[in-house]
């Protein structure tokens, strides 16, 4: 007699069932949303059907039937998911809760013009599900879900406090750059995707290799969010400006944050009391933005051809951003000042001129639409900041600050360790402040012959070493050794930016200057500069300087001489008048450079 055997139930079956439920709900949701599709005449599906039946003389309430069908579908999705979503594993649950939030938002739209109370209930339910979905998505590093949730919360939740809105905007702005950085990381770590990698661990319900778990570059490529715990790392006299367009490019969101009190917070104190935070949004014209970008690109493409500068561009950029930038026109008395001119004026009993006030350094975090535009120059011309740089996002900046020589606890190559302030010695939270940090060694590596007197007079307390060779892994690794600043002079775009992400003991500052050729396409030039800054970020470099547009070797040499003379990369961005900025030579900043990060 043949023995009957029971089929073993696979442990993966519940996961497959949950995935089927979720995918069915997502499909139904997209079908229900088809009524919002527009044709070339800007008609919705509802209107097209209505006009079709009217043309045949059949009077049917097509619109009402379609709306009811949509509503029934959305309600069935919500009923089905509400019963099951709590049992989903995290990777599926964040998708399910996002879908529940979107369905609740649809129901809110249905009722907002009739039943106000019902509409309010659905809006609160949408916000609750989106918040939970974003939290779970963060734990499993699902950047797509994080981005969608943050975007929807910004659009539907206008009653949140300033810090909550700032946090959501930072996520919305940073996510496209997290995707970019993670892809770059995968490009140079493709072997870690193989199942043959020895050993694996479970972390936040996501399978990662042991090598990834202990890789600093991998950790830096994973998304993080702004919180009350990590915002305290922002140092004094630093502003962060975040700008991000909506997906349809019709609205611009902006936020500013900076410290108003130079005091380390105590455990019993709300850290938000030490910060100024403001949010704003406005409707914008996509055509105006595209015109500004085209004018900037025209300047970049003509940088080596002796063109006449676009003298009105800075003002036009400011007009586009003016409603957002108004939040930066703050009372300067709230800023912890460091200006020597202010101290001298106070001693002499004289009033402080606005131009003499140290308005601090600003790091701008931009979306991809604004990346080509020199926002830093606008801020300086309008006297909103003293100096400026940019970064991929506020969470990137907070990660970077931990490796900055001005605020991190690790000693610099060839230099004594940091001197701690009294507040740090007491063990209070906050970034460690170094009383003074000085550049002691600069290494320069060029792939072509350079003038013997390239650097000009070298200060007595600075070691400046010039090497000529190929910009390959071995040569760059040798230049990295024991240097605080490394300058890479490239001719012919031979530098592979990915090489900078895998070298050990990186310097605090990397300067990459390209001696451009007329034949080099501008898109390739900009892509290489951004990739270089991203790879440096993954490797823990605090500050990256690259060309903002093509430049002649003589311009690069002039920049190097100024850097060696002053030993101050921030000063290079601040010691320029408005008239000098309008000149093509320094239009994008000192000597055609742009800076990523903060020192």
């Amino acid at each position: 007699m043949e023995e009957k055997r029971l089929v073993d139930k696979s442990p993966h079956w519940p996961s497959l069932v949950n995935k089927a439920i979720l995918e069915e709900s997502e499909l139904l949701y997209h079908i229900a949303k088809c009524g919002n599709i527009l044709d070339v005449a800007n008609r919705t599906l509802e209107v097209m059907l209505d006009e079709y039946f009217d043309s045949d003389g059949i009077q049917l309430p097509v619109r009402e039937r379609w709306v009811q069908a949509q509503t029934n579908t959305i309600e069935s999705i919500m009923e089905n998911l509400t019963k099951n979503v709590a049992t989903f594993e995290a990777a599926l649950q964040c998708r399910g809760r996002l879908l529940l939030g979107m369905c609740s938002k649809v129901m809110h739209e249905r009722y907002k013009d009739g039943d106000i109370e019902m509409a309010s209930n659905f809006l609160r339910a949408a916000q609750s599900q989106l918040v939970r979905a974003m939290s779970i998505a963060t734990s499993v590093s699902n950047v797509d879900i994080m981005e969608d949730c943050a975007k929807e919360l910004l659009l539907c939740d206008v009653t949140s406090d300033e810090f909550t809105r700032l946090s959501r905007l930072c996520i919305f702005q940073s996510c496209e750059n997290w995707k970019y950085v993670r892809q770059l990381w995968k490009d140079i770590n493709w072997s870690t995707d193989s199942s043959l990698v020895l050993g694996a661990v479970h972390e936040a319900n996501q399978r990662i290799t042991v090598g990834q778990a202990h890789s600093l570059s991998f950790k830096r490529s994973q998304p993080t969010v702004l919180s009350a715990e990590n915002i305290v790392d922002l140092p004094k006299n630093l502003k962060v400006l975040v700008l991000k367009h909506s997906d349809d490019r019709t609205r611009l969101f902006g936020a500013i944050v900076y410290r108003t009190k130079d005091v380390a917070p105590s455990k019993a104190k709300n850290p938000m009391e030490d910060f100024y935070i403001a949010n704003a949004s406005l409707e914008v014209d996509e055509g105006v933005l595209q015109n500004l970008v085209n004018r900037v690109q025209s300047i970049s493409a003509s940088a080596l051809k002796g063109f006449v500068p676009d003298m009105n561009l800075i003002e036009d950029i400011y007009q586009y951003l003016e409603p957002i930038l108004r939040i930066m026109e703050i009372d300067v008395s709230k800023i912890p000042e460091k200006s020597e001119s202010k101290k001298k004026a106070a001693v002499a009993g004289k009033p402080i001129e606005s131009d003499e006030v140290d308005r601090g350094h600003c790091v701008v975090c931009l979306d991809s639409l604004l990346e080509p535009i020199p926002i830093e120059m606008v801020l300086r011309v309008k006297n909103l900041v003293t100096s400026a740089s940019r970064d991929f996002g506020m969470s990137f900046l907070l990660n970077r600050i931990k490796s900055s020589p001005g605020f991190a606890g690790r000693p610099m190559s060839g230099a004594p360790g940091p001197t701690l302030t009294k507040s740090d010695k007491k063990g209070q939270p906050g970034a460690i402040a170094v009383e003074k940090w000085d550049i002691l060694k600069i290494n320069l590596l060029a792939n072509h012959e350079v003038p013997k007197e390239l650097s000009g007079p070298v200060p007595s307390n600075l070691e400046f070493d010039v090497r000529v060779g190929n910009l390959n892994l071995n040569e760059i690794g040798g230049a990295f050794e024991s240097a605080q600043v490394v300058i890479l002079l490239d001719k012919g775009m031979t530098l592979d930016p990915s090489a900078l992400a895998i070298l050990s003991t990186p310097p605090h500052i990397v300067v990459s200057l390209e001696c451009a050729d007329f034949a080099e396409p501008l898109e390739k030039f900009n892509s290489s500069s951004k990739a270089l800054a991203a790879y440096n970020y993954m490797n823990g470099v605090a500050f990256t300087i690259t060309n903002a547009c093509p430049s002649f070797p003589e311009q690069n040499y002039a920049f190097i001489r100024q850097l060696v003379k002053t030993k101050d990369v921030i000063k290079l961005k601040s010691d320029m008048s408005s008239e000098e900025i309008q000149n093509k030579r320094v239009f994008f900043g000192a000597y055609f450079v742009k800076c990523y990060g903060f020192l």
Side-chain angles (χ1 to χ4, degrees):
M1 181 177 179
E2 184 179 352
E3 182 180 358
K4 295 183 178 180
R5 300 178 60 185
L6 296 176
V7 177
D8 293 333
K9 184 177 180 181
S10 169
H12 300 293
W13 282 8
S15 177
L16 294 175
V17 172
N18 291 339
K19 187 176 182 181
I21 294 173
L22 178 61
E23 290 182 349
E24 177 191 18
S25 299
E26 290 176 336
L27 177 60
L28 288 173
Y29 174 77
H30 289 300
I31 292 174
K33 291 291 287 182
C34 282
N36 297 326
I37 292 178
L38 302 178
D39 70 349
V40 292
N42 208 35
R43 300 177 303 171
T44 65
L45 182 59
E46 304 169 33
V47 173
M48 287 186 278
L49 287 172
D50 202 19
E51 291 179 354
Y52 172 78
F53 282 107
D54 284 345
S55 65
D56 289 345
I58 302 176
Q59 298 298 324
L60 294 175
V62 178
R63 187 186 304 276
E64 288 77 4
R65 290 186 181 184
W66 177 256
V67 170
Q68 187 59 49
Q70 282 184 305
T71 303
N72 292 342
T73 303
I74 294 297
E75 287 177 343
S76 68
I77 294 172
M78 294 178 67
E79 181 182 2
N80 192 23
L81 276 183
T82 302
K83 292 187 300 184
N84 297 287
V85 72
T87 64
F88 292 0
E89 55 268 38
L92 295 180
Q93 188 174 153
C94 61
R95 288 170 54 188
R97 294 198 180 278
L98 170 61
L99 188 55
L100 277 173
M102 298 302 295
C103 289
S104 297
K105 189 176 178 181
V106 171
M107 298 303 292
H108 163 73
E109 294 293 328
R110 290 279 184 266
Y111 286 99
K112 69 178 183 179
D113 294 329
D115 192 334
I116 303 299
E117 182 178 357
M118 184 68 75
S120 299
N121 291 337
F122 277 117
L123 182 60
R124 284 193 294 270
Q127 294 168 356
S128 175
Q129 293 293 350
L130 290 170
V131 168
R132 295 178 70 180
M134 186 165 63
S135 175
I136 297 171
T138 303
S139 68
V140 297
S141 299
N142 190 324
V143 179
D144 291 321
I145 300 296
M146 291 172 61
E147 184 176 23
D148 290 340
C149 291
K151 172 181 61 180
E152 294 299 331
L153 286 167
L154 279 174
L155 293 172
C156 72
D157 187 4
V158 295
T159 60
S160 298
D161 60 88
E162 296 288 350
F163 177 75
T164 300
R165 291 168 63 193
L166 169 68
S167 177
R168 291 168 181 172
L169 176 58
C170 288
I171 293 174
F172 186 34
Q173 181 274 325
S174 297
C175 278
E176 64 177 325
N177 285 322
W178 283 122
K179 296 175 189 177
Y180 176 73
V181 169
R182 292 176 77 180
Q183 185 57 52
L184 291 181
W185 189 90
K186 289 181 180 179
D187 290 344
I188 59 174
N189 294 276
W190 56 270
S191 60
T192 57
D193 288 336
S194 171
S195 60
L196 299 179
V197 176
L198 297 178
V201 296
H202 284 285
E203 182 172 298
N205 295 322
Q206 188 179 39
R207 195 170 184 82
I208 63 174
T209 67
V210 170
Q212 291 173 344
H214 293 86
S215 168
L216 290 178
S217 64
F218 174 77
K219 292 179 179 178
R220 294 189 186 104
S221 70
Q222 298 307 295
T224 56
V225 298
L226 181 66
S227 66
E229 289 73 27
N230 60 22
I231 195 175
V232 298
D233 287 335
L234 286 181
K236 63 181 180 179
N237 224 30
L238 171 66
K239 301 176 185 177
V240 182
L241 174 66
V242 184
L243 297 171
K244 170 69 176 177
H245 286 86
S246 59
D247 288 347
D248 59 6
R249 304 182 182 185
T250 61
R251 179 161 290 275
L252 176 62
F253 298 95
I256 181 75
V257 57
Y258 62 90
R259 182 182 289 277
T260 57
K261 298 178 182 178
D262 187 22
V263 179
S266 62
K267 293 183 179 180
K269 181 181 177 181
N270 180 4
M272 293 300 99
E273 296 177 5
D274 294 339
F275 291 88
Y276 171 85
I277 301 174
N279 293 269
S281 68
L282 72 151
E283 293 183 357
V284 293
D285 186 340
E286 181 183 357
V288 174
L289 173 62
Q290 189 59 53
N291 176 262
L292 294 174
V293 172
N294 291 341
R295 290 162 65 185
V296 171
Q297 291 176 340
S298 176
I299 290 176
S300 299
S302 305
L304 301 177
K305 301 178 183 179
F307 68 101
V308 177
D310 186 341
M311 303 299 290
N312 297 319
L313 180 55
I314 290 289
E315 185 62 33
D316 290 344
I317 295 173
Y318 177 74
Q319 291 299 324
Y320 180 79
L321 300 173
E322 183 180 13
I324 296 290
L325 296 183
R326 284 199 197 112
I327 62 178
M328 295 192 68
E329 296 175 354
I330 44 91
D331 182 1
V332 296
S333 64
K334 294 181 180 180
I335 307 175
E337 304 292 353
K338 299 189 297 183
S339 171
E340 289 298 325
S341 59
K342 179 185 177 182
K343 296 177 183 178
K344 294 177 181 178
V347 173
K350 299 178 180 179
I352 302 173
E353 298 295 332
S354 60
D355 291 341
E356 294 180 346
V357 173
D358 180 4
R359 294 178 179 270
H361 183 85
C362 180
V363 176
V364 293
C365 305
L366 310 173
D367 61 18
S368 57
L369 299 176
L370 290 170
E371 278 182 0
I373 297 178
I375 305 294
E376 301 94 321
M377 294 297 98
V378 177
L379 300 181
R380 293 188 38 223
V381 169
K382 294 300 178 179
N383 202 29
L384 297 173
V385 298
T386 299
S387 57
S389 59
R390 60 177 58 190
D391 213 333
F392 297 108
M394 189 164 177
S395 51
F396 289 82
L397 175 64
L398 291 172
N399 289 342
R400 196 191 296 269
I401 282 177
K402 294 178 174 60
S403 60
S404 171
F407 300 92
R410 65 185 176 96
M412 298 155 293
S413 303
T419 303
L420 304 183
T421 60
K422 293 181 179 180
S423 60
D424 295 313
K425 291 178 180 179
K426 293 180 181 179
Q428 293 176 318
I432 300 175
V434 179
E435 292 182 352
K436 183 174 177 57
W437 179 72
D438 195 14
I439 296 176
L440 302 177
K441 185 174 183 180
I442 299 177
N443 284 347
L444 184 146
L445 175 62
N447 67 348
H448 58 282
E449 292 296 329
V450 297
K452 293 182 178 180
E453 301 300 326
L454 168 66
S455 64
V458 178
S460 58
N461 61 342
L462 174 66
E463 182 181 349
F464 183 71
D465 182 31
V466 178
R467 311 178 188 186
V468 177
N470 296 321
L471 297 181
N472 55 34
L473 196 61
N474 291 333
E475 295 282 356
I476 296 175
F480 272 23
E481 291 181 2
S482 71
Q484 296 159 295
V485 180
V486 170
I487 302 173
L488 303 175
L489 268 180
D490 187 14
K491 189 173 184 179
M493 298 192 74
T494 63
L495 173 64
D496 179 6
S498 63
L500 302 180
I502 57 180
L503 290 169
S504 59
T505 62
H508 298 307
I509 303 170
V510 171
V511 181
S512 176
L513 302 176
E514 167 67 27
C515 298
D517 190 293
F518 288 104
E520 292 165 0
L522 185 61
E523 294 76 11
K524 180 181 178 182
F525 185 89
N526 292 334
S527 175
S528 177
S529 295
K530 182 178 179 180
L532 178 83
Y535 282 123
N536 278 339
Y537 161 78
M538 284 189 282
N539 205 16
V541 174
F543 206 68
T544 297
I545 301 176
T546 66
N547 299 83
C549 57
S551 57
F552 288 112
E554 292 75 14
Q555 293 169 325
N556 292 331
Y557 301 157
F559 170 83
I560 294 171
R561 283 192 293 271
Q562 187 71 4
L563 173 59
V564 170
K565 176 182 177 182
T566 63
K567 299 197 300 181
D568 189 340
V569 294
I570 296 297
K571 189 175 182 181
L572 293 171
K573 299 286 287 184
S574 61
D575 286 355
M576 292 186 294
S577 66
S578 300
E579 292 73 19
E580 289 175 316
I581 292 172
Q582 294 288 8
N583 182 278
K584 69 172 184 177
R585 184 178 67 85
V586 292
F587 185 81
F588 284 83
Y591 309 94
F592 289 105
V593 301
K594 57 184 175 184
C595 305
Y596 288 85
F598 175 70
L599 284 173

